[in-house]
Amino acid sequence: MSEAPKLVRDDPWLTPHQAAIEGRMNHFATTLADIRRTSGSLPAYATGHKFSGILHNAAANQWMVREWAPAARGVFLTGDFNGWNRESHPLAPSSGGVWQLRLPGDALQHGQRVKLHVIGADGSRRDRIPACIRRAVQDPSTNDFSGQIWNPPQAYVWRNDFDPTVVGTPLIYETHVGMAGEEARVHTYREFADGILPRIVKAGYNTVQVMAVQEHPYYGSFGYHVSSFFAACSRFGTPEDLKYLIDTAHGLGVAVLLDVVHSHAVKNTAEGLSDFDGSGNQYFHAGERGDHPLWDSKCFDYGKPEVRQFLLSNLRYWLEEFRFDGFRFDGVTSMLYHSRGDKAFSTYDDYFGADADGDAILYLQLANQLIREIKPGAIVVAEDMSGMPGLCKPLEDGGIGFTHRLAMGIPDHWIKLLKHSRDEDWDMDEIFGILANRRYGEKTIAYAESHDQALVGDKTLAFRLMDQEMYFHMGKEDRNPVVERGVAIHKLIRLITLAVGGEGWLNFMGNEFGHPEWIDFPREGNGWSYHHCRRQWSLMDNPELKYHWLSDFDRALITLARETNLLAAAPAQYLHVDRERKILCFERANLVFVLSFSVSQSVFDFTFSVPGTETRKLVLDSDARDFGGHGRVDHSFDYPVDADGRLHVYIPSRTGLVFAKM
């Protein structure tokens, strides 16, 4: 009998599902072997973007137009170049459902708008944007999207080489370029590179995760209803401008992740891939299975080799053309299950039974293998709320190959506490248990709040804690009990979540300094206003405001994490809990953490056992005056361990203290 996969050996409770795990491994190995036999390698297979779309061959001085539309009755190229004539430039059918047309080198010019006119299998006639178009633009007068020929006379010249392995532990700053500036408008890639990246570096983060890069017709979708998968969002600038952003980040020592959306696509036929050839199921599943019940979008058919190749080619394109350092895969839970993950996950049967989508799992395995081959050391994060075992285990161990998963349950827990529990009723054991609960050996990105909470209709932690008082009482000299509570708890939540919650950290831009209010994208209901679709950096910059304190605390916290390799250490170890007085003690990376969530009780000579006998020093104090606290702890003291192995500290109410060995 052959040895069980390492995934099973590491977790014997998976033994009943060993056959399913081995089946996934065999399916992946067989498919990968077939690809390598026919294409030579997986990267060579993932080159669909080099053969599909509107491609210029300088050596031959010609254009090649290719489109996969197997059920279409006819395909024509139309655009500025021919006065939008829908019949003068037909594509000829070729093998594999591909249509193609050769044009002389001077037939198309850089910047011209183009579309394909497709006669569908159902007899429909529609203007469509080519699936692999490199740029799509919106007409400001009609709001209509078109493809755009993008062949600038001079290629972007990269200035900086970058190896993502230098990042080590990812400290991720999640961003949206369009709303990253303070003015009430859409901001640009270059403005972000020159104005926002320096802020991120100063704050101590080593990775930027960029949302809404893939082209999307509706700005308010946060970039998650993608229409053109190979096109960088033109609202923010040109492809070269995006390269400048990434190049600048690399020069600052910062990795850049693309928030990639392969879990679904916009259902619009005018801009997207839906019903492209008129068959109803070219890129997506037919019937109800092709419609996402919660997202009003289309679901890819990962079982089709052409669809897998399209998506794999998309990953290679972003890695090579733009030099992204990895991805955050959106909506992985929806991909993994036929139910789209809309169910409770209570036993291992829920992960390996009939609901698991083998085609989607195979695609994700191939995707992670491809990324590893093209860019060793890339960071690949899965947005999964189901807890799929092995999601972040190596492929050879029986896993799916992601490097990290998001700890999606943590932000939900904090919101539940703030909404439904009095401070006095918070359960210290439950808080630590929720934060520490993750699969051993599978790296997790912790975060205290999600970008969704910042949207209109919900609230960030800061806004939920302080609400309307933030409008009137954020001056440093203004003593307001609601704001004082909010500032103190905001720091405690971020401190304990970072220290316990994972092997990486994520922050959505502005949350580190308690950005007020909500995000509301321009829409008819708000008069198409950008007032709430921006980041008010001036609040953080103003030394007279409490936002400045929160920003300084976050910088100190991130600095501590980096200097001590906190998140690369083994998981936090529970040391002591005082349930009555709401005090929690734990150790990680040779640091001792003491946090009091007590509403009002400060404790002198609080005593608890610690590992080691070395004298400790205080290295972080959330109650320090520099961070908006009351300055109740004397930082000049050293903290020796007594003969019984115990540490004696003064722990004020609503305070977090961190002690390091001297």
Side-chain angles (χ1 to χ4, degrees):
M1 180 180 293
S2 62
E3 188 177 41
K6 191 173 186 301
L7 177 62
V8 178
R9 300 199 308 272
D10 289 346
D11 183 359
W13 289 100
L14 288 172
T15 300
H17 304 285
Q18 180 175 333
I21 293 167
E22 291 175 336
R24 293 177 182 180
M25 297 175 72
N26 292 335
H27 192 195
F28 167 68
T30 300
T31 304
L32 183 59
D34 288 343
I35 288 172
R36 286 172 171 168
R37 185 177 62 255
T38 57
S39 300
S41 69
L42 184 57
Y45 174 76
T47 53
H49 58 293
K50 297 185 179 183
F51 298 97
S52 296
I54 303 177
L55 306 168
H56 183 250
N57 185 332
N61 192 29
Q62 71 173 12
W63 291 89
M64 174 60 77
V65 183
R66 285 198 184 97
E67 193 71 30
W68 178 59
R73 298 182 187 177
V75 181
F76 304 82
L77 183 67
T78 183
D80 291 334
F81 77 102
N82 68 356
W84 294 94
N85 188 316
R86 291 177 172 81
E87 298 179 352
S88 61
H89 288 76
L91 279 66
S94 184
S95 60
V98 174
W99 298 74
Q100 63 181 33
L101 168 68
R102 283 186 175 85
L103 293 171
D106 60 356
L108 300 173
Q109 302 297 322
H110 173 66
Q112 288 181 325
R113 294 172 301 151
V114 290
K115 289 189 180 186
L116 296 174
H117 183 68
V118 180
I119 303 175
D122 55 0
S124 61
R125 289 177 173 266
R126 298 192 184 103
D127 289 343
R128 308 301 300 261
I129 297 175
C132 293
I133 199 73
R134 305 294 179 88
R135 181 165 167 83
V137 293
Q138 188 175 26
D139 187 309
S141 58
T142 66
N143 294 323
D144 180 51
F145 274 86
S146 301
Q148 187 176 44
I149 301 298
W150 200 254
N151 188 37
Q154 185 174 3
Y156 181 82
V157 179
W158 293 86
R159 298 163 290 145
N160 300 291
D161 293 324
F162 187 78
D163 180 357
T165 60
V166 303
V167 167
T169 298
L171 301 168
I172 304 172
Y173 199 88
E174 186 182 22
T175 63
H176 183 288
V177 169
M179 56 170 285
E182 185 145 4
E183 296 179 24
R185 59 176 175 83
V186 176
H187 296 82
T188 69
Y189 297 122
R190 286 186 175 266
E191 288 175 324
F192 186 94
D194 295 336
I196 308 303
L197 281 176
R199 291 182 176 276
I200 295 170
V201 172
K202 182 180 179 182
Y205 292 82
N206 59 22
T207 305
V208 172
Q209 178 179 301
V210 191
M211 308 169 66
V213 170
Q214 294 173 292
E215 190 61 82
H216 47 289
Y218 179 45
Y219 190 46
S221 73
F222 236 151
Y224 291 118
H225 277 196
V226 173
S227 51
S228 295
F229 285 78
F230 291 83
C233 182
S234 59
R235 291 180 181 89
F236 313 141
T238 68
E240 287 68 38
D241 293 338
L242 176 57
K243 292 175 183 178
Y244 175 79
L245 185 161
I246 296 167
D247 198 7
T248 302
H250 288 167
L252 294 169
V254 173
V256 186
L257 307 184
L258 173 66
D259 195 344
V260 72
V261 185
H262 283 182
S263 50
H264 65 132
V266 71
K267 70 177 184 180
N268 304 24
T269 55
E271 298 92 2
L273 301 175
S274 180
D275 200 23
F276 196 93
D277 66 357
S279 66
N281 64 335
Q282 181 184 343
Y283 286 92
F284 310 105
H285 288 292
E288 290 185 4
R289 190 179 175 193
D291 296 322
H292 200 291
L294 301 176
W295 297 344
D296 193 29
S297 56
K298 302 297 293 184
C299 299
F300 284 107
D301 183 351
Y302 305 105
K304 283 187 177 180
E306 297 90 347
V307 174
R308 284 203 302 266
Q309 187 177 34
F310 172 82
L311 295 173
L312 291 170
S313 300
N314 190 234
L315 297 176
R316 178 172 181 176
Y317 171 74
W318 292 111
L319 288 172
E320 293 186 336
E321 182 69 20
F322 290 90
R323 301 193 183 184
F324 278 99
D325 302 296
F327 301 97
R328 180 260 200 191
F329 272 73
D330 176 67
V332 169
T333 306
S334 175
M335 301 172 70
L336 292 172
Y337 309 98
H338 295 296
S339 65
R340 304 298 166 205
D342 188 22
K343 66 175 188 179
F345 292 87
S346 54
T347 72
Y348 276 168
D349 295 339
D350 296 317
Y351 303 108
F352 300 101
D355 189 36
D357 189 331
D359 292 332
I361 291 169
L362 172 62
Y363 165 66
L364 292 173
Q365 290 171 310
L366 290 169
N368 281 302
Q369 177 68 27
L370 175 71
I371 295 165
R372 185 167 65 178
E373 290 188 30
I374 292 175
K375 184 159 288 194
I379 301 165
V380 194
V381 182
E383 188 206 28
D384 171 48
M385 61 181 297
S386 73
M388 167 68 79
L391 186 68
C392 302
K393 283 285 192 179
L395 294 161
E396 55 269 25
D397 293 351
I400 297 178
F402 287 94
T403 63
H404 299 78
R405 72 183 343 135
L406 289 174
M408 299 184 68
I410 292 176
D412 291 343
H413 184 69
W414 287 124
I415 290 301
K416 183 182 78 171
L417 276 182
L418 292 173
K419 287 178 67 174
H420 302 297
S421 298
R422 298 184 311 151
D423 298 357
E424 295 87 345
D425 297 331
W426 286 17
D427 186 322
M428 298 296 100
D429 298 284
E430 180 185 54
I431 289 173
F432 189 88
I434 292 290
L435 293 174
N437 182 25
R438 56 188 180 275
R439 292 190 60 81
Y440 183 76
E442 300 194 38
K443 292 181 180 179
T444 296
I445 303 292
Y447 58 123
E449 51 189 324
S450 72
H451 59 240
D452 288 335
Q453 290 169 226
L455 290 171
V456 63
D458 207 338
K459 294 180 180 180
T460 64
L461 288 179
F463 207 43
R464 192 169 293 280
L465 285 163
M466 296 175 273
D467 209 81
Q468 64 183 6
E469 303 301 315
M470 298 184 78
Y471 293 115
F472 311 108
H473 301 290
M474 290 302 282
K476 286 183 177 179
E477 302 303 320
D478 190 332
R479 301 294 297 273
N480 178 273
V482 172
V483 171
E484 285 195 13
R485 167 187 176 266
V487 167
I489 293 178
H490 192 273
K491 290 180 289 185
L492 285 175
I493 287 175
R494 293 179 70 86
L495 171 58
I496 193 172
T497 303
L498 183 144
V500 180
E503 291 70 38
W505 174 251
L506 179 140
N507 170 75
F508 179 66
M509 63 177 183
N511 285 350
E512 73 278 12
F513 67 86
H515 197 288
E517 302 186 313
W518 54 86
I519 296 169
D520 191 8
F521 284 92
R523 55 189 173 86
E524 186 175 5
N526 67 12
W528 302 104
S529 170
Y530 288 87
H531 179 72
H532 289 291
C533 195
R534 59 197 179 103
R535 297 285 87 178
Q536 299 181 59
W537 302 106
S538 59
L539 297 175
M540 182 192 78
D541 294 339
N542 190 336
E544 302 301 318
L545 297 179
K546 295 171 184 174
Y547 302 105
H548 197 269
W549 279 334
L550 292 174
S551 173
D552 286 347
F553 176 76
D554 190 73
R555 186 182 304 111
L557 177 60
I558 296 297
T559 299
L560 178 69
R562 293 185 71 158
E563 291 180 348
T564 61
N565 290 316
L566 173 62
L567 302 187
Q573 298 300 306
Y574 207 62
L575 296 179
H576 182 75
V577 61
D578 187 324
R579 297 175 181 86
E580 181 179 347
R581 293 186 289 191
K582 305 295 181 190
I583 300 173
L584 185 61
C585 308
F586 57 91
E587 181 272 338
R588 190 175 186 187
N590 291 318
L591 299 173
V592 170
F593 296 78
V594 184
L595 284 84
S596 170
F597 287 88
S598 173
V599 172
S600 59
Q601 191 171 5
S602 299
V603 182
F604 291 91
D605 196 29
F606 182 75
T607 306
F608 61 101
S609 297
V610 296
T613 60
E614 297 90 342
T615 297
R616 301 269 174 172
K617 62 179 179 179
L618 182 62
V619 293
L620 186 65
D621 172 14
S622 73
D623 191 53
R625 294 190 185 278
D626 287 345
F627 305 142
H630 297 285
R632 290 170 287 181
V633 179
D634 189 336
H635 290 198
S636 66
F637 289 161
D638 296 333
Y639 294 83
V641 177
D642 69 18
D644 296 319
R646 296 175 302 179
L647 200 65
H648 299 251
V649 304
Y650 167 51
I651 177 67
S653 59
R654 286 183 177 148
T655 295
L657 304 177
V658 184
F659 299 90
K661 293 179 180 179
M662 293 187 66

